[in-house]
Amino acid sequence: MKIKSSQLAIGLVCILLGFVITMQIKSVSFNTNRETAIKSGNTRLEEASSLKAENEELKKKIIMLEEEIDFYNQNLGATGDGRVMLEQIKRAETLAGLTSLTGEGVVVTMNDSKAKGADGVSSENYLIHDDDVRKVVNELFAAGAEAISINGERMIVTSAIRCVGPVIVINNNRYSPPYVISAIGDRKTLSAALNQRDGVVDTLRNLWKIEIDIVEKEKVVIPRYTGTTTFKYAKKTAE
Amino acid sequence: MIAITGLLIGVALAFCINFHIPDAYTVYVAVGILAALDSVFGGIAASMKKKFNIVIFLTGFFSNVLIAAGLTYFGKILGLDLYMAAIIVFGTRLFQNFAIIRRLLLIKLEKRDKIYVSENSDED
């Protein structure tokens, strides 16, 4: 069948038309999708930053209110009954981690291993994970530590140490290495507990070459807990 | 026919290629498509009237597209939505061409019926 030049021209024109129409439809839908995605991303960012600002304001308010409470507490402590209540409050605050404390203890600094990995072993093993930090904290508490903080975050009864990708989240704040763990207690006991054979430091340092540095100190300062402290579910049991 | 295969080939090609027209240029392409469709349907109507001329078709096709795109761009720099003119004109012509094609199709079908009837009546 002989193809007339006019037929060819029509064919080419149709190919061009089909191509351009489909391309246009694809592009328009792609562009509108991208726009809505970007817009929703932006609203999320705005929401997040306004919430952060609100958070900062509220934290300042908390500090002001706490100062007021302290002032009233002082007045309370003047009378006999009041003094007993004040002692109870102070004791509870100390145990709850709401006051900063100082005393002798140790400062443990942990950093990712700088060693080259052995063949076939995943390089993840040479990084510090949340459970490595937890082991050190656990060992310190077991050895009698009375207060522990990690990178300035005070460990309280509900503190959690979690891995999120390459960083660790402590008390809902993110931290990356190096991790500085301060503990108050008998400094010889604390460092001996960590340095036991087959203990935490032995495994981490000798097996995976994670850098751990333990320094005994006469005076360690551990800051107070600065997060939220309301309980939504737990209620006092009837005694 | 060749027109439909051409269209299908074009559509398939567009799905294969992973390119998107940038957001800024989609206006021009859209107006160009409208102009192209107008000249295509004009060509179909002309071919049904047996008055199809390939040169007129091709030059009309490309010049319509260029003028439409040019009008849009001119409107943008003037600050006036001149592309509206293209939409109205090409839209109107599309409807007119549809009407012509429809009428021609109906006439064709009528003629076919008439021939059939007259052939039958010759057998007496």
Side-chain angles (χ1 to χ4, degrees), chain B residues 41-88:
Chain B
F41 283 105
I44 294 177
S47 83
M48 291 188 91
K49 286 191 267 190
K50 306 270 188 271
K51 285 206 186 122
F52 184 72
N53 183 333
I54 187 74
V55 177
I56 293 183
F57 175 69
L58 281 180
T59 52
F61 183 91
F62 288 109
S63 68
N64 272 353
V65 171
L66 286 174
I67 292 177
L71 203 65
T72 314
Y73 176 70
F74 193 49
K76 244 198 187 154
I77 58 180
L78 276 183
L80 190 65
D81 283 341
L82 284 181
Y83 68 86
M84 299 262 218
I87 293 178
I88 294 176

Short mmCIF file of all heavy atoms in Angstrom, two decimals, chain B residues 41-88:
data_model
loop_
_atom_site.label_atom_id
_atom_site.label_comp_id
_atom_site.label_asym_id
_atom_site.label_seq_id
_atom_site.Cartn_x
_atom_site.Cartn_y
_atom_site.Cartn_z
N PHE B 41 -9.81 19.36 13.80
CA PHE B 41 -11.22 19.13 13.47
C PHE B 41 -11.63 19.88 12.22
O PHE B 41 -12.50 19.43 11.47
CB PHE B 41 -12.11 19.50 14.65
CG PHE B 41 -12.07 18.45 15.72
CD1 PHE B 41 -11.38 18.64 16.89
CD2 PHE B 41 -12.71 17.23 15.53
CE1 PHE B 41 -11.31 17.67 17.85
CE2 PHE B 41 -12.66 16.25 16.48
CZ PHE B 41 -11.95 16.46 17.66
N GLY B 42 -11.00 21.06 12.00
CA GLY B 42 -11.23 21.75 10.74
C GLY B 42 -10.80 20.89 9.57
O GLY B 42 -11.49 20.78 8.55
N GLY B 43 -9.65 20.21 9.74
CA GLY B 43 -9.16 19.33 8.69
C GLY B 43 -10.11 18.16 8.45
O GLY B 43 -10.37 17.77 7.30
N ILE B 44 -10.64 17.59 9.54
CA ILE B 44 -11.58 16.47 9.39
C ILE B 44 -12.82 16.92 8.63
O ILE B 44 -13.29 16.23 7.70
CB ILE B 44 -11.97 15.90 10.76
CG1 ILE B 44 -10.74 15.27 11.44
CG2 ILE B 44 -13.08 14.88 10.63
CD1 ILE B 44 -11.01 14.74 12.82
N ALA B 45 -13.34 18.10 9.01
CA ALA B 45 -14.53 18.61 8.31
C ALA B 45 -14.23 18.83 6.84
O ALA B 45 -15.02 18.47 5.96
CB ALA B 45 -14.99 19.91 8.98
N ALA B 46 -13.05 19.41 6.55
CA ALA B 46 -12.68 19.66 5.15
C ALA B 46 -12.56 18.36 4.37
O ALA B 46 -12.99 18.26 3.22
CB ALA B 46 -11.36 20.42 5.11
N SER B 47 -12.01 17.32 5.00
CA SER B 47 -11.84 16.07 4.26
C SER B 47 -13.18 15.41 4.00
O SER B 47 -13.36 14.73 2.99
CB SER B 47 -10.91 15.11 5.01
OG SER B 47 -11.61 14.41 5.99
N MET B 48 -14.16 15.62 4.90
CA MET B 48 -15.48 15.07 4.64
C MET B 48 -16.17 15.80 3.50
O MET B 48 -16.99 15.23 2.80
CB MET B 48 -16.34 15.13 5.90
CG MET B 48 -15.86 14.20 6.99
SD MET B 48 -16.99 14.11 8.35
CE MET B 48 -17.97 12.76 7.82
N LYS B 49 -15.85 17.10 3.34
CA LYS B 49 -16.43 17.85 2.23
C LYS B 49 -15.62 17.66 0.96
O LYS B 49 -15.87 18.31 -0.05
CB LYS B 49 -16.44 19.35 2.59
CG LYS B 49 -17.50 19.73 3.60
CD LYS B 49 -17.64 21.24 3.70
CE LYS B 49 -16.77 21.77 4.81
NZ LYS B 49 -17.04 23.19 5.12
N LYS B 50 -14.61 16.78 1.02
CA LYS B 50 -13.71 16.50 -0.08
C LYS B 50 -12.94 17.75 -0.48
O LYS B 50 -12.59 17.93 -1.63
CB LYS B 50 -14.47 15.96 -1.32
CG LYS B 50 -15.32 14.76 -1.04
CD LYS B 50 -14.51 13.47 -1.24
CE LYS B 50 -15.40 12.25 -1.15
NZ LYS B 50 -15.48 11.79 0.25
N LYS B 51 -12.71 18.63 0.47
CA LYS B 51 -11.99 19.86 0.13
C LYS B 51 -10.68 19.93 0.89
O LYS B 51 -10.16 20.98 1.17
CB LYS B 51 -12.83 21.08 0.51
CG LYS B 51 -13.98 21.33 -0.41
CD LYS B 51 -14.39 22.80 -0.41
CE LYS B 51 -15.64 22.97 -1.24
NZ LYS B 51 -16.73 23.56 -0.47
N PHE B 52 -10.15 18.74 1.31
CA PHE B 52 -8.96 18.74 2.17
C PHE B 52 -7.72 19.08 1.38
O PHE B 52 -7.45 18.53 0.32
CB PHE B 52 -8.81 17.36 2.80
CG PHE B 52 -7.68 17.28 3.78
CD1 PHE B 52 -7.80 17.91 5.01
CD2 PHE B 52 -6.50 16.62 3.49
CE1 PHE B 52 -6.77 17.86 5.92
CE2 PHE B 52 -5.47 16.56 4.40
CZ PHE B 52 -5.60 17.18 5.62
N ASN B 53 -6.92 20.00 1.92
CA ASN B 53 -5.66 20.39 1.29
C ASN B 53 -4.58 20.27 2.35
O ASN B 53 -4.63 20.96 3.38
CB ASN B 53 -5.77 21.82 0.78
CG ASN B 53 -4.51 22.23 0.06
OD1 ASN B 53 -3.42 21.72 0.33
ND2 ASN B 53 -4.65 23.16 -0.86
N ILE B 54 -3.61 19.40 2.10
CA ILE B 54 -2.62 19.10 3.13
C ILE B 54 -1.81 20.33 3.51
O ILE B 54 -1.46 20.54 4.67
CB ILE B 54 -1.70 17.93 2.69
CG1 ILE B 54 -0.78 17.51 3.84
CG2 ILE B 54 -0.86 18.32 1.51
CD1 ILE B 54 -1.50 16.76 4.91
N VAL B 55 -1.52 21.18 2.50
CA VAL B 55 -0.68 22.35 2.78
C VAL B 55 -1.43 23.31 3.71
O VAL B 55 -0.88 23.82 4.69
CB VAL B 55 -0.30 23.06 1.47
CG1 VAL B 55 0.51 24.30 1.78
CG2 VAL B 55 0.49 22.11 0.60
N ILE B 56 -2.71 23.54 3.36
CA ILE B 56 -3.51 24.44 4.21
C ILE B 56 -3.60 23.87 5.62
O ILE B 56 -3.45 24.59 6.62
CB ILE B 56 -4.93 24.64 3.63
CG1 ILE B 56 -4.84 25.40 2.32
CG2 ILE B 56 -5.80 25.37 4.63
CD1 ILE B 56 -6.19 25.70 1.70
N PHE B 57 -3.79 22.57 5.70
CA PHE B 57 -3.91 21.92 7.02
C PHE B 57 -2.66 22.14 7.85
O PHE B 57 -2.71 22.61 8.98
CB PHE B 57 -4.19 20.43 6.83
CG PHE B 57 -4.21 19.66 8.12
CD1 PHE B 57 -5.24 19.86 9.04
CD2 PHE B 57 -3.20 18.77 8.45
CE1 PHE B 57 -5.26 19.18 10.23
CE2 PHE B 57 -3.22 18.09 9.64
CZ PHE B 57 -4.24 18.29 10.53
N LEU B 58 -1.49 21.79 7.26
CA LEU B 58 -0.26 21.87 8.03
C LEU B 58 0.08 23.31 8.42
O LEU B 58 0.41 23.60 9.57
CB LEU B 58 0.90 21.26 7.24
CG LEU B 58 0.94 19.74 7.25
CD1 LEU B 58 2.11 19.23 6.43
CD2 LEU B 58 1.05 19.22 8.68
N THR B 59 -0.03 24.22 7.43
CA THR B 59 0.32 25.60 7.78
C THR B 59 -0.66 26.15 8.80
O THR B 59 -0.26 26.85 9.74
CB THR B 59 0.31 26.51 6.51
OG1 THR B 59 -0.93 26.33 5.84
CG2 THR B 59 1.46 26.16 5.60
N GLY B 60 -1.96 25.80 8.64
CA GLY B 60 -2.95 26.27 9.61
C GLY B 60 -2.64 25.73 11.00
O GLY B 60 -2.68 26.46 12.00
N PHE B 61 -2.31 24.44 11.06
CA PHE B 61 -2.00 23.79 12.35
C PHE B 61 -0.91 24.56 13.08
O PHE B 61 -1.11 25.05 14.20
CB PHE B 61 -1.57 22.35 12.06
CG PHE B 61 -1.28 21.55 13.28
CD1 PHE B 61 -2.29 20.81 13.89
CD2 PHE B 61 -0.01 21.49 13.83
CE1 PHE B 61 -2.04 20.05 15.00
CE2 PHE B 61 0.25 20.74 14.95
CZ PHE B 61 -0.76 20.02 15.54
N PHE B 62 0.25 24.68 12.46
CA PHE B 62 1.38 25.27 13.17
C PHE B 62 1.20 26.75 13.40
O PHE B 62 1.59 27.29 14.44
CB PHE B 62 2.68 24.97 12.41
CG PHE B 62 3.09 23.53 12.53
CD1 PHE B 62 2.99 22.68 11.44
CD2 PHE B 62 3.52 23.02 13.75
CE1 PHE B 62 3.34 21.34 11.57
CE2 PHE B 62 3.86 21.70 13.87
CZ PHE B 62 3.77 20.85 12.78
N SER B 63 0.60 27.45 12.43
CA SER B 63 0.45 28.89 12.65
C SER B 63 -0.56 29.16 13.76
O SER B 63 -0.37 30.06 14.58
CB SER B 63 0.05 29.60 11.35
OG SER B 63 -1.26 29.22 10.98
N ASN B 64 -1.64 28.38 13.83
CA ASN B 64 -2.60 28.54 14.92
C ASN B 64 -1.92 28.40 16.26
O ASN B 64 -2.12 29.21 17.18
CB ASN B 64 -3.71 27.49 14.83
CG ASN B 64 -4.85 27.95 13.97
OD1 ASN B 64 -4.88 29.11 13.54
ND2 ASN B 64 -5.81 27.08 13.71
N VAL B 65 -1.11 27.33 16.37
CA VAL B 65 -0.44 27.08 17.65
C VAL B 65 0.47 28.25 18.02
O VAL B 65 0.45 28.77 19.14
CB VAL B 65 0.38 25.77 17.58
CG1 VAL B 65 1.24 25.62 18.81
CG2 VAL B 65 -0.55 24.58 17.45
N LEU B 66 1.27 28.68 17.03
CA LEU B 66 2.22 29.76 17.32
C LEU B 66 1.50 31.04 17.69
O LEU B 66 1.87 31.73 18.65
CB LEU B 66 3.13 29.99 16.11
CG LEU B 66 4.19 28.90 15.93
CD1 LEU B 66 4.95 29.13 14.64
CD2 LEU B 66 5.15 28.91 17.11
N ILE B 67 0.44 31.35 16.94
CA ILE B 67 -0.29 32.60 17.23
C ILE B 67 -0.93 32.53 18.61
O ILE B 67 -0.87 33.49 19.38
CB ILE B 67 -1.35 32.87 16.14
CG1 ILE B 67 -0.66 33.19 14.83
CG2 ILE B 67 -2.26 34.01 16.57
CD1 ILE B 67 -1.62 33.40 13.69
N ALA B 68 -1.52 31.38 18.91
CA ALA B 68 -2.17 31.24 20.22
C ALA B 68 -1.14 31.44 21.34
O ALA B 68 -1.36 32.20 22.29
CB ALA B 68 -2.82 29.88 20.33
N ALA B 69 0.01 30.74 21.23
CA ALA B 69 1.04 30.86 22.26
C ALA B 69 1.56 32.29 22.34
O ALA B 69 1.75 32.85 23.42
CB ALA B 69 2.18 29.88 21.99
N GLY B 70 1.75 32.88 21.14
CA GLY B 70 2.26 34.25 21.12
C GLY B 70 1.29 35.22 21.76
O GLY B 70 1.69 36.11 22.53
N LEU B 71 -0.01 35.01 21.48
CA LEU B 71 -1.03 35.89 22.07
C LEU B 71 -1.01 35.77 23.59
O LEU B 71 -1.12 36.77 24.32
CB LEU B 71 -2.41 35.48 21.52
CG LEU B 71 -3.49 36.55 21.56
CD1 LEU B 71 -3.11 37.70 20.66
CD2 LEU B 71 -4.83 35.96 21.13
N THR B 72 -0.87 34.53 24.08
CA THR B 72 -0.82 34.33 25.54
C THR B 72 0.35 35.08 26.14
O THR B 72 0.22 35.78 27.15
CB THR B 72 -0.67 32.84 25.85
OG1 THR B 72 -1.59 32.10 25.07
CG2 THR B 72 -0.93 32.58 27.32
N TYR B 73 1.53 34.92 25.50
CA TYR B 73 2.72 35.58 26.04
C TYR B 73 2.57 37.09 26.01
O TYR B 73 2.86 37.79 26.98
CB TYR B 73 3.95 35.16 25.21
CG TYR B 73 5.19 35.88 25.65
CD1 TYR B 73 5.76 35.60 26.88
CD2 TYR B 73 5.78 36.86 24.85
CE1 TYR B 73 6.89 36.26 27.30
CE2 TYR B 73 6.89 37.53 25.26
CZ TYR B 73 7.45 37.23 26.49
OH TYR B 73 8.57 37.90 26.91
N PHE B 74 2.04 37.59 24.89
CA PHE B 74 1.84 39.03 24.75
C PHE B 74 0.90 39.52 25.85
O PHE B 74 1.13 40.55 26.48
CB PHE B 74 1.26 39.32 23.36
CG PHE B 74 1.30 40.75 22.98
CD1 PHE B 74 2.45 41.49 23.12
CD2 PHE B 74 0.16 41.38 22.47
CE1 PHE B 74 2.48 42.83 22.77
CE2 PHE B 74 0.18 42.71 22.11
CZ PHE B 74 1.34 43.44 22.26
N GLY B 75 -0.17 38.75 26.06
CA GLY B 75 -1.12 39.12 27.10
C GLY B 75 -0.45 39.16 28.47
O GLY B 75 -0.70 40.03 29.29
N LYS B 76 0.47 38.21 28.71
CA LYS B 76 1.15 38.18 30.01
C LYS B 76 1.96 39.44 30.23
O LYS B 76 1.94 40.02 31.31
CB LYS B 76 2.05 36.96 30.07
CG LYS B 76 1.62 36.00 31.12
CD LYS B 76 2.69 35.02 31.52
CE LYS B 76 2.03 34.03 32.47
NZ LYS B 76 2.68 32.76 32.48
N ILE B 77 2.73 39.84 29.19
CA ILE B 77 3.57 41.01 29.42
C ILE B 77 2.76 42.29 29.43
O ILE B 77 3.14 43.27 30.08
CB ILE B 77 4.74 41.12 28.40
CG1 ILE B 77 4.24 41.17 26.97
CG2 ILE B 77 5.70 39.99 28.60
CD1 ILE B 77 5.40 41.27 25.99
N LEU B 78 1.59 42.29 28.73
CA LEU B 78 0.75 43.48 28.79
C LEU B 78 -0.02 43.55 30.10
O LEU B 78 -0.44 44.62 30.52
CB LEU B 78 -0.29 43.46 27.65
CG LEU B 78 0.14 43.97 26.30
CD1 LEU B 78 -1.04 43.93 25.36
CD2 LEU B 78 0.64 45.40 26.43
N GLY B 79 -0.20 42.39 30.72
CA GLY B 79 -0.98 42.37 31.95
C GLY B 79 -2.45 42.17 31.68
O GLY B 79 -3.28 42.48 32.53
N LEU B 80 -2.79 41.63 30.49
CA LEU B 80 -4.18 41.39 30.14
C LEU B 80 -4.32 39.93 29.77
O LEU B 80 -3.48 39.38 29.09
CB LEU B 80 -4.57 42.28 28.94
CG LEU B 80 -6.05 42.36 28.58
CD1 LEU B 80 -6.82 43.00 29.70
CD2 LEU B 80 -6.20 43.17 27.31
N ASP B 81 -5.40 39.27 30.19
CA ASP B 81 -5.55 37.84 29.90
C ASP B 81 -5.96 37.60 28.46
O ASP B 81 -7.07 37.13 28.18
CB ASP B 81 -6.59 37.24 30.84
CG ASP B 81 -6.02 37.02 32.23
OD1 ASP B 81 -4.79 36.98 32.35
OD2 ASP B 81 -6.82 36.89 33.17
N LEU B 82 -5.03 37.88 27.51
CA LEU B 82 -5.37 37.75 26.10
C LEU B 82 -5.65 36.31 25.68
O LEU B 82 -6.28 36.06 24.66
CB LEU B 82 -4.25 38.32 25.23
CG LEU B 82 -4.23 39.86 25.20
CD1 LEU B 82 -3.10 40.35 24.31
CD2 LEU B 82 -5.56 40.37 24.67
N TYR B 83 -5.15 35.34 26.47
CA TYR B 83 -5.39 33.95 26.09
C TYR B 83 -6.87 33.63 26.06
O TYR B 83 -7.31 32.71 25.40
CB TYR B 83 -4.64 32.99 27.02
CG TYR B 83 -5.15 32.95 28.43
CD1 TYR B 83 -6.20 32.12 28.81
CD2 TYR B 83 -4.58 33.76 29.41
CE1 TYR B 83 -6.66 32.09 30.09
CE2 TYR B 83 -5.04 33.73 30.70
CZ TYR B 83 -6.09 32.90 31.04
OH TYR B 83 -6.54 32.88 32.31
N MET B 84 -7.65 34.46 26.77
CA MET B 84 -9.11 34.25 26.75
C MET B 84 -9.65 34.34 25.34
O MET B 84 -10.54 33.57 24.95
CB MET B 84 -9.79 35.32 27.60
CG MET B 84 -9.38 35.31 29.02
SD MET B 84 -10.59 34.44 29.99
CE MET B 84 -10.56 35.45 31.44
N ALA B 85 -9.09 35.30 24.56
CA ALA B 85 -9.55 35.45 23.18
C ALA B 85 -9.34 34.15 22.42
O ALA B 85 -10.23 33.68 21.71
CB ALA B 85 -8.77 36.59 22.50
N ALA B 86 -8.15 33.57 22.58
CA ALA B 86 -7.87 32.31 21.89
C ALA B 86 -8.86 31.23 22.32
O ALA B 86 -9.37 30.48 21.48
CB ALA B 86 -6.43 31.85 22.21
N ILE B 87 -9.13 31.16 23.63
CA ILE B 87 -10.06 30.13 24.12
C ILE B 87 -11.42 30.30 23.48
O ILE B 87 -12.03 29.34 22.98
CB ILE B 87 -10.19 30.21 25.65
CG1 ILE B 87 -8.88 29.84 26.32
CG2 ILE B 87 -11.29 29.29 26.13
CD1 ILE B 87 -8.91 29.94 27.81
N ILE B 88 -11.92 31.54 23.46
CA ILE B 88 -13.27 31.77 22.94
C ILE B 88 -13.32 31.43 21.46
O ILE B 88 -14.19 30.68 21.00
CB ILE B 88 -13.69 33.23 23.18
CG1 ILE B 88 -13.82 33.46 24.69
CG2 ILE B 88 -14.98 33.55 22.48
CD1 ILE B 88 -14.12 34.87 25.06
#
